[in-house]
Amino acid sequence: MIETIKSVLIGLTKEFGPEETSSALAYGLSLAQQAGAHATVQAASVKLDLSSAGISKVVSGLVREENQRLHALAEAAARSAQGDASAAGIAWSTAAPHLSYPQLLAVFKALARLHDLTVVDAEPEALALDRGLIDALLMDSGRPLLVVPPGQDVFRARRIILAWDGSGRAARAAADALPFLRAAETVEVVAVMGEKELPTTVTDADIAPHLTRHGVKVTVQTLPALESDVAETLRNHATLTHADMIVMGGYVHSRLRELVFGGVTSSLLKQSPVALFLSY
């Protein structure tokens, strides 16, 4: 049983057609079922809003039709989520807001603050609208975020990797993830050496006793960075050890710096073999 997780927000913003499914929805409902938590499904669509000045009636009509199509897809996703949640015996609530992008971000951040965590689908493109939502939720909601890659349809957290670099954000992630860490069969604290100098004040060996006091079954592993690439090292290790989840602090470097030069968070958001639990 996953203790203290009582409310899960599942964010759906992609245009899922009749033949497409959301990994975040299936994963989030599976998590809510295993935790005995309430699931809130927010199936949102972005409203296209063009100034009427200088726009022909034809263009205005096309925009109106596209907004109707997007809203209808979101409403269908919400109805499907209701059926899935009811079939699984999960307490649920759903909504299908049709909002401008700034309004959508504001609504999601406000809702996230009222839930224990938010579950969303992964978005590999750094400049996509859905990546903007991921970044906004991570940095501004004050709550942890679970980013689910395609194909991860069932919540599992038997084997968890805690990516440790001694930073405050890594410590925040470890604290936020304690319900999952305590329930896991094994938690591997992984420090990757070689890409940057890690702080010596709080090492991977130091964090292990703290987690043990919280009932976490923990081991410690220090790995050399593969070709100076921390993200690739974590991806490779997660695959080799059959991990179910990576827990890490998000954007230790600034988001702008990671966008320009790359970074661990950006790289793992682009491609991860397992669900990412992120705190900021």
Side-chain angles (χ1 to χ4, degrees):
M1 184 70 174
I2 306 163
E3 298 178 356
T4 74
I5 300 295
K6 303 300 181 185
S7 56
V8 177
L9 173 63
I10 304 170
L12 307 179
T13 57
K14 296 180 182 292
E15 296 178 32
F16 292 108
E19 304 302 320
E20 298 172 298
T21 59
S22 162
S23 292
L25 176 60
Y27 186 97
L29 290 178
S30 176
L31 166 57
Q33 183 182 44
Q34 293 184 44
H38 182 280
T40 301
V41 179
Q42 190 81 349
S45 55
V46 177
K47 182 179 181 180
L48 304 178
D49 189 12
L50 301 179
S51 171
S52 59
I55 295 179
S56 68
K57 290 184 178 180
V58 173
V59 173
S60 178
L62 290 173
V63 171
R64 182 171 59 254
E65 290 177 4
E66 179 63 4
N67 277 328
Q68 290 171 346
R69 184 187 73 85
L70 293 172
H71 194 193
L73 284 174
E75 289 180 323
R79 288 193 297 272
S80 178
Q82 291 174 10
D84 292 343
S86 296
I90 300 166
W92 56 266
S93 57
T94 65
H98 185 56
L99 304 168
S100 69
Y101 189 63
Q103 291 173 326
L104 182 146
L105 293 182
V107 166
F108 263 108
K109 288 187 288 186
L111 270 176
R113 292 169 188 146
L114 304 177
H115 291 76
D116 293 314
L117 78 164
T118 301
V119 182
V120 294
D121 285 288
E123 172 50 65
E125 297 300 325
L127 298 179
L129 294 181
D130 288 323
R131 178 66 75 82
L133 174 63
I134 288 173
D135 290 341
L137 287 170
L138 176 59
M139 294 187 286
D140 295 333
S141 73
R143 308 301 295 156
L145 186 66
L146 258 171
V147 181
V148 184
Q152 299 284 321
D153 297 332
V154 177
F155 170 77
R156 296 186 183 90
R158 294 188 297 268
R159 297 181 62 87
I160 298 178
I161 290 173
L162 170 60
W164 183 256
D165 62 3
S167 68
R169 286 172 189 167
R172 173 70 179 271
D176 286 344
L178 273 175
F180 301 112
L181 301 182
R182 280 194 291 258
E185 293 176 4
T186 180
V187 174
E188 190 174 23
V189 178
V190 174
V192 181
M193 308 296 292
E195 189 269 343
K196 63 180 179 180
E197 291 298 322
L198 298 182
T200 58
T201 51
V202 183
T203 68
D204 50 348
D206 294 327
I207 191 65
H210 167 72
L211 294 174
T212 300
R213 295 183 196 109
H214 281 275
V216 178
K217 297 175 277 293
V218 63
T219 61
V220 177
Q221 178 78 279
T222 300
L223 299 175
L226 299 174
E227 298 182 355
S228 299
D229 190 331
V230 173
E232 182 58 27
T233 304
L234 291 171
R235 272 192 292 265
N236 183 68
H237 192 65
T239 300
L240 290 175
T241 60
H242 303 286
D244 300 307
M245 181 187 295
I246 295 174
V247 173
M248 60 181 287
Y251 292 122
V252 175
H253 299 305
S254 72
R255 181 175 178 270
L256 177 60
R257 175 176 169 174
E258 291 216 6
L259 183 63
V260 175
F261 299 107
V264 178
T265 306
S266 294
S267 182
L268 285 172
L269 284 174
K270 183 176 182 179
Q271 182 185 6
S272 174
V274 296
L276 285 177
F277 183 102
L278 298 169
S279 292
Y280 185 77

